[in-house]
Amino acid sequence: MTAEHARLAAALRELRAGAGLSLAALAERTAYSKSSWERYLNGKSLPPRQAVKELCRLANEPDGRLLALWEIAESHWSGRAVAPAPDPPADESPQPQPQQSPTPAGTERRRLGRGRLLLALVSAYTVIVGGAAALLFLLLPDSEAQEDEPPPASIPFSLAPQCHGAACEGRDPMRLICGLGPDTLASHRTATGAHVELRYSKKCGASWARTWGTEIGDRLEVTAGGPTHGVRIENKDDAATFIYTEMTEVRPGSTVRACFRPASADGERECFEARLGGAATTTPLPSRPVASGSRD
């Protein structure tokens, strides 16, 4: 497995864990079997491009970054990434081949005899090796049964959240399994066309913000009255997919606020908020200075 294929498989596993999708659920909701998904997620085989798109669809996530990873991995898998051998110079003419003298009849008969002997030996060797391979195949356990066994440790065994409340402050929601079926408290589309959502995990007692459709240099911040956590769109890969902030602790009745700052110098900072408890409400906020605890 190439390094590019390994990165793709790791990204697929993270997306699948964050969405809380089991192998059985993937098999039921896509055209690919449970055993096929096990191979794709563990890097045993390269998934079809459509399988990558299907997983993004089920996880309700943009597919730009994962499809870019797939293109890179597929080019190495298929050999298209290998540079072709250089063509010979145009002015180079074919070299004349030296003429061979006729082979004596006796020499030809000796070569023919050795060729027949070699053919007989190869045939016998093929029969012996083929029989051994068939016996080995019969002794091996059924491969399909192996694929239906629980996946190895590379896929998280437990999908239970790994933190709660203050223990989640400033930490990654996906790595700590807080992104498993979260609620969307509020959403907003910015003047630049970017999408921003406030996300909340009841099991983790924490919220975070995520964005997509962004440009390099855009920033997103979130706070619930405590520390402010932010993220910046660093490169074209970030801009092609969803990016999320670290988590902030929330309790019933907390007000969570997200602020989006576009990269353009003349762009205005846009903020909105939602309150936990009962029906979520969104209140657009006027632009104001960032809290002192925010990160640049």
Side-chain angles (χ1 to χ4, degrees):
M1 179 169 58
T2 64
E4 293 76 14
H5 187 190
R7 282 196 291 271
L8 173 63
L12 292 176
R13 290 197 299 270
E14 182 176 350
L15 183 58
R16 172 234 178 205
L21 294 166
S22 66
L23 295 179
L26 288 173
E28 291 174 359
R29 299 165 69 179
T30 68
Y32 308 95
S33 68
K34 180 180 175 181
S35 58
S36 294
W37 278 112
E38 191 273 335
R39 292 194 299 271
Y40 302 156
L41 293 169
N42 285 290
K44 296 177 182 178
S45 62
L46 186 72
R49 189 175 189 275
Q50 185 61 33
V52 176
K53 294 188 66 174
E54 286 294 298
L55 179 55
C56 293
R57 178 183 63 82
L58 293 176
N60 192 30
E61 303 295 352
D63 58 15
R65 178 172 175 268
L66 280 176
L67 288 180
L69 289 175
W70 182 88
E71 292 286 351
I72 297 172
E74 194 278 335
S75 66
H76 284 79
W77 179 281
S78 63
R80 290 189 294 109
V82 178
D87 294 330
D91 59 348
E92 194 174 289
S93 57
Q95 297 296 324
Q97 298 294 327
Q99 293 184 349
Q100 296 182 353
S101 58
T103 304
T107 304
E108 186 66 31
R109 283 195 297 269
R110 286 195 298 271
R111 288 179 179 174
L112 181 58
R114 285 197 298 268
R116 288 174 177 173
L117 176 60
L118 180 60
L119 178 61
L121 291 175
V122 170
S123 299
Y125 177 76
T126 301
V127 172
I128 294 172
V129 173
L135 179 60
L136 180 61
F137 178 80
L138 292 174
L139 293 176
L140 286 175
D142 181 63
S143 58
E144 189 70 17
Q146 283 184 326
E147 290 169 347
D148 288 336
E149 293 176 358
S154 57
I155 294 180
F157 176 77
S158 173
L159 294 179
Q162 304 297 303
C163 69
H164 183 81
C168 296
E169 189 73 51
R171 304 183 71 181
D172 189 313
M174 299 304 167
R175 293 188 181 278
L176 296 181
I177 322 298
C178 293
L180 183 63
D183 295 324
T184 299
L185 297 178
S187 60
H188 176 68
R189 184 163 186 177
T190 71
T192 61
H195 295 266
V196 183
E197 288 182 342
L198 277 172
R199 307 283 268 175
Y200 166 64
S201 169
K202 183 176 181 180
K203 292 183 178 179
C204 289
S207 282
W208 62 96
R210 71 172 183 174
T211 183
W212 67 94
T214 54
E215 298 178 1
I216 298 174
D218 290 348
R219 294 172 182 249
L220 177 64
E221 297 165 345
V222 67
T223 184
T228 298
H229 304 290
V231 66
R232 181 178 185 275
I233 310 303
E234 299 288 352
N235 50 50
K236 63 180 181 180
D237 288 337
D238 288 350
T241 185
F242 65 95
I243 295 295
Y244 51 87
T245 68
E246 296 165 337
M247 292 183 284
T248 185
E249 179 187 11
V250 293
R251 298 185 177 92
S254 296
T255 297
V256 190
R257 186 175 79 243
C259 290
F260 178 87
R261 291 199 280 176
S264 59
D266 57 347
E268 294 186 1
R269 177 169 169 261
E270 300 177 49
C271 299
F272 66 102
E273 64 182 20
R275 182 180 177 85
L276 287 182
T281 59
T282 304
T283 306
L285 300 178
S287 177
R288 57 174 178 263
V290 184
S292 59
S294 65
R295 301 187 311 178
D296 289 334

